[in-house]
Amino acid sequence: MIAKFLMVSVFLTNSFFVEAASYSRKGKIQIEKVKAYDIIVAADGTADYKTVQEALNSVAPLKTKETKILIKNGVYKEKLEVIRDKNNITLIGESKENVILTYDDYASKKNASGEGIGTSGSASFIVTADNFKAQNITFENSSGPVGQAVAVRVDGDKIIFDNCKFLGFQDTLYPRSATSRQYYKNCYIEGTVDFIFGASTAVFDQCEIFAKARAGYLTAASTLENSCYGLVFLNCKLTTNSGNSSYYLGRPWRPYAKTVFIQCEMAAHIKSEGWHNWSKPEAETTTFYGEYQSTGAGGNTASRVSWSHLLTSEQFTKEYTLAAIFKDWVPVL
């Protein structure tokens, strides 16, 4: 059978097109240029747009076809939002280390009415649309150790971050909505207090979770009672430049918090008790905090709090596959 379409993924110099080879009806190879991206952003003004928000705004709402936006290397200081109904947008950075989307709001910063903008309002990058994907990008809240200051807040459903970095201190990453499903692959996330927090179902697959020098909590889930899953860490590395026994794995922002670490390598900054009840003893009977085959200096579960769980091999194989967690959604990188 003659192949209908052969893709030769070769970038043409300064064009951001690829060459596509296809067979004509007479069997002759035809070469044509196919646009690799729909929109290109460059801070120096050499592309379609100079700012990321302009590019996002240009996408028609309610699109069912993917819109690919390439962001060329640069630091983009913008408070950004992928608004509701701007669905199926993919942001692709030219390189993870050199494409930096940053802003410096924080929760106690005053708005025009003299009131604090709050944790949700502090986010540098907000996603309320569905089917959003980001690849090779650094997301940052650069306000420093000033309390709650979110780098990325996600409310949309079916969200993917691939090979991205999330930089901040307290409350770096906010998977916010209880109806949101999110998949993070090969990402780096850093912070201090509760720096991964929220009510979403979020899977972190082969990510590095870096606790910055001080003491705190990696997670603060606010999972709803009727949600089967909360924050799930698969084959992650928990790293630090902090001292030994300085961090808990998590504490319950809401009483039905669910957080699980599966086959994760934990450095010595993880406290032997593992989990904290946030001075809410009643939460010990409602939370679900679990581990499976933790390793490393902080992975010894012998002294974990009595109200946490060690998963069985049956639970691991049946309940913690991507299919079980995400149901009808298959994340495609």
Side-chain angles (χ1 to χ4, degrees):
M1 181 180 293
I2 298 176
K4 290 183 178 179
F5 198 74
L6 295 173
M7 293 298 297
V8 182
S9 297
V10 179
F11 278 103
L12 300 179
T13 305
N14 298 323
S15 69
F16 296 100
F17 282 77
V18 296
E19 288 185 352
S22 63
Y23 285 102
S24 68
R25 290 182 180 179
K26 295 182 179 180
K28 295 181 179 180
I29 293 179
Q30 301 177 134
I31 303 296
E32 57 183 3
K33 294 179 181 179
V34 178
K35 198 172 183 181
Y37 304 99
D38 300 290
I39 300 168
I40 300 173
V41 181
D44 62 5
T46 59
D48 300 315
Y49 297 99
K50 291 181 65 175
T51 72
V52 177
Q53 192 64 62
E54 285 178 309
L56 293 171
N57 292 346
S58 73
V59 179
L62 301 174
K63 284 191 68 176
T64 57
K65 182 181 178 181
E66 180 184 30
T67 300
K68 288 187 176 182
I69 301 176
L70 174 72
I71 307 175
K72 298 187 72 174
N73 289 340
V75 177
Y76 299 81
K77 187 173 182 181
E78 305 179 52
K79 192 174 178 74
L80 297 165
E81 183 170 2
V82 186
I83 64 172
R84 188 174 181 179
D85 295 336
K86 295 270 186 173
N87 300 328
N88 296 295
I89 290 177
T90 296
L91 294 184
I92 303 170
E94 190 174 4
S95 70
K96 177 177 65 175
E97 301 299 333
N98 296 307
V99 174
I100 301 172
L101 309 186
T102 183
Y103 208 72
D104 56 3
D105 275 350
Y106 50 93
S108 60
K109 186 176 182 178
K110 305 301 182 185
N111 59 21
S113 302
E115 300 175 339
I117 62 175
T119 301
S120 294
S122 73
S124 301
F125 189 93
I126 301 170
V127 182
T128 52
D130 294 337
N131 294 293
F132 171 82
K133 186 187 300 183
Q135 185 178 50
N136 308 333
I137 296 173
T138 292
F139 298 90
E140 178 186 47
N141 188 308
S142 62
S143 60
V146 292
Q148 297 95 332
V150 177
V152 172
R153 190 191 96 198
V154 180
D155 294 349
D157 188 29
K158 301 178 182 177
I159 308 298
I160 297 173
F161 289 91
D162 176 26
N163 194 41
C164 291
K165 295 178 71 173
F166 303 84
L167 308 181
F169 284 82
Q170 183 173 350
D171 292 4
T172 303
L173 178 59
Y174 190 4
R176 181 172 179 243
S177 172
T179 59
S180 173
R181 291 168 291 180
Q182 302 168 33
Y183 182 59
Y184 299 77
K185 182 68 179 287
N186 295 323
C187 290
Y188 171 92
I189 307 159
E190 71 171 31
T192 54
V193 178
D194 304 336
F195 62 94
I196 303 173
F197 72 111
S200 304
T201 295
V203 172
F204 302 87
D205 189 354
Q206 300 177 61
C207 296
E208 180 178 358
I209 313 301
F210 183 83
K212 299 171 79 165
R214 59 167 295 172
Y217 310 81
L218 303 187
T219 69
S222 55
T223 322
L224 298 188
E225 182 177 4
N226 60 354
S227 296
C228 296
Y229 299 92
L231 308 177
V232 180
F233 297 83
L234 303 174
N235 302 297
C236 293
K237 288 187 176 181
L238 312 188
T239 59
T240 192
N241 62 351
S242 187
N244 292 349
S245 300
S246 54
Y247 274 82
Y248 290 93
L249 294 171
R251 61 177 178 172
W253 182 17
R254 296 288 183 265
Y256 292 92
K258 295 179 177 67
T259 305
V260 173
F261 289 84
I262 294 174
Q263 295 178 332
C264 292
E265 180 182 335
M266 304 180 180
H269 63 306
I270 302 302
K271 290 177 176 285
S272 60
E273 57 268 43
W275 309 90
H276 192 276
N277 66 10
W278 209 336
S279 301
K280 297 182 265 190
E282 65 278 7
E284 296 179 7
T285 62
T286 53
T287 58
F288 188 89
Y289 287 151
E291 293 175 71
Y292 182 73
Q293 294 183 353
S294 299
T295 62
N300 188 340
T301 57
S303 299
R304 294 294 197 248
V305 293
S306 61
W307 43 277
S308 66
H309 303 267
L310 295 180
L311 303 181
T312 65
S313 59
E314 184 178 14
Q315 284 177 301
F316 166 62
T317 56
K318 290 185 177 181
E319 298 176 20
Y320 288 93
T321 64
L322 294 185
I325 296 168
F326 290 137
K327 309 303 181 190
D328 62 337
W329 176 48
V330 179
V332 178
L333 299 178

